[in-house]
Amino acid sequence: HLLPRQQEVEILQSLVLRPEDEWLRHLYAARLVGTGPNPIADAAAAAAPVQESHSQGEAGPGSGPSASSGSRRSVVSPEYPTPMLPPALAANGCALAAQATRHYRSGDYQKCYTVSKRVLEDDPYHLGILPVHIASLVHLEM
């Protein structure tokens, strides 16, 4: 990633895609660098109230009193971007790696470990998942 986060967000928001190709925006949005709010994911959550109620029903580090503060991370489904992708890509290693990274950044190390372990079981050579997988192992003291 050579662009600053804000420029990445602007480029993603400016993409002109057909409605059936909107999943591509979400796949790239899930991989945004940085730990700040993800406006594309937040917009997807606002457009899909089912995801909002799903993520608020879960207890964990991403929910609770701080969830309604400025970052609004808990509005986005913990499974993002998987619900926005075509079924054939839902189990894709890159999509699951983005999901594991999202879990790690929200402090849910157990879910991060579970998802990253699944990626490594499916593809032991998926090197992009190793940083969050190893970091989650350290946090979980495994």
Side-chain angles (χ1 to χ4, degrees):
H1 303 277
L2 298 175
L3 295 175
R5 179 175 166 67
Q6 184 57 35
Q7 284 183 333
E8 287 182 336
V9 169
E10 289 172 4
I11 289 172
L12 280 174
Q13 289 176 330
S14 68
L15 287 176
V16 178
L17 299 171
R18 297 181 310 217
E20 62 268 16
D21 295 331
E22 192 62 30
W23 63 268
L24 189 57
R25 183 183 325 272
H26 296 288
L27 187 61
Y28 283 118
R31 296 182 51 113
L32 285 175
V33 293
T35 58
N38 188 327
I40 296 168
D42 291 343
V50 172
Q51 292 178 359
E52 182 176 345
S53 63
H54 173 69
S55 65
Q56 286 180 350
E58 294 182 5
S63 61
S66 64
S68 61
S69 65
S71 72
R72 296 187 51 177
R73 278 193 200 155
S74 67
V75 173
V76 181
S77 169
E79 289 79 28
Y80 183 83
T82 305
M84 307 306 241
L85 299 177
L89 287 178
N92 177 282
C94 292
L96 291 174
Q99 184 180 338
T101 301
R102 184 173 200 79
H103 288 307
Y104 180 80
R105 288 181 180 163
S106 70
D108 194 345
Y109 306 120
Q110 184 62 49
K111 282 189 181 179
C112 174
Y113 170 74
T114 303
V115 174
S116 61
K117 180 181 174 192
R118 177 179 166 198
V119 171
L120 288 171
E121 286 172 348
D122 291 344
D123 180 8
Y125 300 104
H126 194 290
L127 301 179
I129 195 72
L130 285 178
V132 294
H133 182 71
I134 293 170
S136 66
L137 286 170
V138 170
H139 281 286
L140 295 171
E141 298 178 359
M142 296 178 116

